[in-house]
Amino acid sequence: MRPIDIMKRNASYASGYKNFPSEKQMQAKRLCWQYNRTSPDEQVKRREILQ
């Protein structure tokens, strides 16, 4: 199953899913961390992170 299929499922997320590469998990965690550290007025930076 592809990672996008896992995300679209109507089920709880399991971070230890074996077919989801840990490298991609770490990248997602870093991006979430960066996004959560931005202020509401940093819309350009937020859009860049989401891209």
Side-chain angles (χ1 to χ4, degrees):
M1 184 177 289
R2 298 175 311 160
I4 193 73
D5 297 326
I6 296 167
M7 290 184 276
K8 289 181 178 180
R9 288 187 340 184
N10 189 14
S12 298
Y13 175 70
S15 63
Y17 194 81
K18 295 182 189 304
N19 290 336
F20 197 79
S22 60
E23 175 185 319
K24 294 290 185 184
Q25 286 177 331
M26 287 306 298
Q27 180 184 11
K29 287 179 182 181
R30 278 192 296 274
L31 290 171
C32 287
W33 185 86
Q34 288 174 4
Y35 185 87
N36 288 334
R37 299 302 184 276
T38 61
S39 67
D41 61 337
E42 293 180 285
Q43 293 300 317
V44 173
K45 186 173 183 176
R46 285 180 166 200
R47 273 190 236 111
E48 289 172 357
I49 293 168
L50 292 174
Q51 292 292 326

